[in-house]
Amino acid sequence: MFNVQADADVYKVEISERGPARITCKVAPSKDRDGNWASSFITVEVWSGGNSPCVGVEVVAGLRERDRIWFEGYGKTNAWTDKEGKKRADLRFNATAIGLGKYADRQAAPVQTPDNDDRVPF
């Protein structure tokens, strides 16, 4: 596991009654071997907190494709071989805080108070 603070563009949002809300994010555009542009995708999971309501899930519910978010969390990787014999890898982050906009803008902001804190801890 490792900790991360990052910015990402929302690609898809999935909210389920059980388990975490999942935000698929597009990060790090790069060129592939043939010179075509390709994007990498990561999954940010926001857990609902069990029986206690979680404000983070309400924030996730308002996200739309192409929104810019920042998040803090810890990540893990998973590697496997699919049915066709291809090697696959998955990168997931469990969010500990999430907000709209860029992380750099959040760091440059004045000290937050409970009344104007745009960060949603969980």
Side-chain angles (χ1 to χ4, degrees):
M1 274 199 266
F2 51 93
N3 294 326
V4 69
Q5 300 167 339
D7 296 323
D9 293 323
V10 175
Y11 180 73
K12 180 172 68 169
V13 178
E14 300 171 82
I15 300 174
S16 62
E17 291 183 27
R18 300 184 132 214
R22 289 187 175 90
I23 308 168
T24 303
C25 298
K26 206 185 247 193
V27 295
S30 60
K31 290 194 175 186
D32 62 14
R33 293 179 190 163
D34 299 327
N36 299 319
W37 283 100
S39 293
S40 297
F41 293 89
I42 61 169
T43 302
V44 178
E45 295 180 339
V46 180
W47 288 87
S48 64
N51 293 332
S52 61
C54 177
V55 179
V57 174
E58 294 175 12
V59 170
V60 173
L63 292 176
R64 300 290 176 249
E65 186 177 345
R66 297 185 182 168
D67 281 349
R68 183 81 169 167
I69 63 167
W70 63 265
F71 65 93
E72 295 176 1
Y74 58 92
K76 64 179 181 173
T77 58
N78 185 21
W80 70 96
T81 304
D82 67 9
K83 294 177 184 176
E84 299 171 359
K86 294 181 181 177
K87 299 235 183 233
R88 302 285 183 177
D90 187 3
L91 181 57
R92 291 180 184 261
F93 293 96
N94 287 329
T96 56
I98 191 169
L100 296 172
K102 293 184 177 182
Y103 195 82
D105 294 341
R106 183 203 163 274
Q107 288 178 321
V111 175
Q112 298 292 316
T113 64
D115 294 334
N116 68 356
D117 192 357
D118 64 343
R119 185 175 108 135
V120 181
F122 11 179

